Amino acid sequence: MKLLILGATGRTGKELLDQALKAGISVHALVRDIDKVKMTSRNLKLFESKKLDRTALRLAMLGCDAVLSTLNISRTSEFPWSGLRTPKDFLSNTMRNVLEVANELHIKRIIVTTAWGVNETRNDIPAWFRLLIDYSNVGVAYRDHELQERLLAASQSDWTVVRPVGLTNSRKHKQIRITINNEPKPNLTISRSNVAKFMVDIYKTGDYKNEAVTISEV
C-alpha cells in the first residue's frame, strides 16, 4: 500500500498524514515547502514543488496506488471576505492534472475532501450558510469544489468524495455518521482527526467507490 497525499501541510492534511503513517501505509507527500512537514518516518517520502503541475504530480505519484487530497482554496484569514491566497480554479485545475497523470500511471483510487453544501447538498445546509457562500469568499472554494466533483464523476477512476460538515480541532475519537442523499441527516460538526481516519479507513477497505458521502460525528 502506497499513496500520495496532497495538502499534507494543511490542518486536515497533517491529520491525514499522521493517520496514514500510524496505519503503516507508505506515503508520498507533495508539498510546496518541505520545511513545513514536521513528521519523519521511514514510510514517508517528501516531494517539493511550487506548482501542482503534471510534471510534479507524475514524479510524486509514481509507484502509488491511490491519491488522497485535502486541498482547499486558501484565504488570508478566517474572515469570510478576506482575500484569496490561491487561484479561484486551483482545485479544479489540480484535479484535471491528477486525473490525467493517474490515467497514465494506471492509478484508479482517488479520495478527496470537499464540503457539506457542495452540489446537491446545497439544499441541506442552513439558509444562513447558503447566504455566506453566495456573498463572501467562502463561496469561491465551494464553487471550485463543485467543479472538481464533476471532473471526478466524469472520470474512469474509482473516486470517493468526502464531504465533512463543520470542522473542529478536537482529538477525541467519535463514531462517524455517514449521510447519503441527506439520510440520515448529518450533525453539524466533525473533527479533522476523524475526517482523516475515515479517509484512511476507506482507502484500506475500498468502500464508497463512485459515491459522494457527507460525514459528521454521532
Side-chain angles (χ1 to χ4, degrees), residues 127-152:
W128 65 265
F129 196 63
R130 289 199 296 271
L131 289 173
L132 197 63
I133 290 172
D134 289 342
Y135 295 104
S136 78
N137 275 343
V138 170
V140 175
Y142 276 74
R143 288 184 284 275
D144 208 28
H145 277 314
E146 289 177 2
L147 290 175
Q148 73 164 342
E149 284 193 7
R150 291 170 189 162
L151 289 168
L152 281 165

Side-chain angles (χ1 to χ4, degrees), residues 127-203:
W128 65 265
F129 196 63
R130 289 199 296 271
L131 289 173
L132 197 63
I133 290 172
D134 289 342
Y135 295 104
S136 78
N137 275 343
V138 170
V140 175
Y142 276 74
R143 288 184 284 275
D144 208 28
H145 277 314
E146 289 177 2
L147 290 175
Q148 73 164 342
E149 284 193 7
R150 291 170 189 162
L151 289 168
L152 281 165
S155 75
Q156 298 301 309
S157 63
D158 294 328
W159 55 271
T160 303
V161 167
V162 179
R163 295 166 170 162
V165 294
L167 293 167
T168 73
N169 294 319
S170 171
R171 307 295 304 175
K172 186 179 293 185
H173 173 67
K174 292 185 178 181
Q175 184 178 347
I176 293 174
R177 172 174 291 179
I178 311 297
T179 299
I180 300 175
N181 297 324
N182 207 33
E183 292 292 337
K185 289 186 180 300
N187 290 321
L188 296 180
T189 61
I190 188 169
S191 70
R192 291 179 171 85
S193 177
N194 282 325
V195 172
K197 183 179 184 303
F198 178 77
M199 293 178 74
V200 171
D201 286 347
I202 65 172
Y203 162 66

Side-chain angles (χ1 to χ4, degrees), residues 18 42 53 74 145 167 171:
D18 181 57
R42 61 183 179 85
D53 57 17
S74 175
H145 277 314
L167 293 167
R171 307 295 304 175

Side-chain angles (χ1 to χ4, degrees), residues 10 12 26-27 69 87 100-102 109 135 137 179 186 210 213:
T12 305
S26 294
V27 176
S69 174
E100 183 174 323
V101 176
R109 192 71 170 118
Y135 295 104
N137 275 343
T179 299
N210 301 95
V213 297

Side-chain angles (χ1 to χ4, degrees), residues 105-125:
L105 299 179
H106 307 290
I107 298 170
K108 295 287 287 183
R109 192 71 170 118
I110 300 176
I111 303 171
V112 302
T113 56
T114 61
W116 184 44
V118 171
N119 279 318
E120 79 282 355
T121 61
R122 173 182 168 85
N123 293 328
D124 305 330
I125 63 175

Side-chain angles (χ1 to χ4, degrees), residues 6 30 50-58 61 67 69 71-73 86-102 110 112 140-152:
L6 300 176
L30 176 57
K50 299 302 180 187
K51 294 181 179 181
L52 295 182
D53 57 17
R54 289 187 293 275
T55 300
L57 285 164
R58 191 175 291 108
M61 289 167 68
V67 178
S69 174
L71 292 173
N72 205 350
I73 299 289
T86 46
K88 293 181 178 181
D89 56 358
F90 170 64
L91 300 172
S92 53
N93 275 345
T94 299
M95 184 52 63
R96 288 186 184 93
N97 291 335
V98 166
L99 289 170
E100 183 174 323
V101 176
I110 300 176
V112 302
V140 175
Y142 276 74
R143 288 184 284 275
D144 208 28
H145 277 314
E146 289 177 2
L147 290 175
Q148 73 164 342
E149 284 193 7
R150 291 170 189 162
L151 289 168
L152 281 165

